[in-house]
């Protein structure tokens, strides 16, 4: 394994650990009904990612139908991932002790 691969793997582990930490903190501190925690997390995260992406692209939008389809698939997969992460975080400690 070269140094770049080790660095990338370390960064991925670090980012997933931070994601688990913030997901758990969000699920415990969300003031509303627990069923709304995932949609709120997705909306806030979606706007943040959209803004950052538009900023890096000079605020230009040029999407093909395939881009929109992949965006919808990504949104569904991310929603499912966040939903189960919030549910797991609410159940107690798992793999990452926080």
């Amino acid at each position: 394994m070269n140094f770049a691969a080790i660095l990338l793997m370390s960064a991925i582990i670090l980012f997933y650990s931070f994601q688990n930490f913030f997901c758990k903190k969000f699920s415990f501190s969300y003031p509303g009904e627990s069923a709304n925690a995932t949609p709120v997390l997705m909306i806030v995260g979606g706007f943040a990612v959209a803004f950052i992406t538009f900023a890096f692209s000079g605020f230009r939008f040029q999407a093909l139908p395939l881009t929109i389809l992949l965006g919808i698939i990504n949104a569904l997969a991310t929603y499912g991932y966040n939903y189960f992460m919030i549910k797991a975080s609410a159940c107690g400690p798992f793999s990452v002790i926080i």
Side-chain angles (χ1 to χ4, degrees):
M1 243 176 160
N2 62 17
F3 179 72
I6 293 171
L7 188 63
L8 181 61
M9 289 296 290
S10 299
I12 290 171
I13 292 168
L14 183 67
F15 288 141
Y16 275 115
S17 297
F18 279 129
Q19 182 181 20
N20 289 340
F21 174 76
F22 289 121
C23 193
K24 183 172 186 167
K25 292 296 180 190
F26 181 80
S27 67
F28 286 144
S29 65
Y30 182 70
E33 191 176 320
S34 63
N36 295 332
T38 302
V40 169
L41 181 64
M42 290 292 299
I43 290 169
V44 170
F47 278 121
V49 168
F51 179 77
I52 292 168
T53 302
F54 283 136
F56 275 108
S57 68
F59 294 98
R60 290 178 311 228
F61 182 72
Q62 195 172 4
L64 299 172
L66 178 61
T67 307
I68 295 170
L69 175 64
L70 292 175
I72 291 169
I73 292 170
N74 184 41
L76 293 173
T78 305
Y79 182 86
Y81 177 78
N82 285 329
Y83 175 80
F84 289 112
M85 285 295 296
I86 286 175
K87 291 296 182 187
S89 295
C91 290
F94 61 101
S95 75
V96 177
I97 297 175
I98 300 171

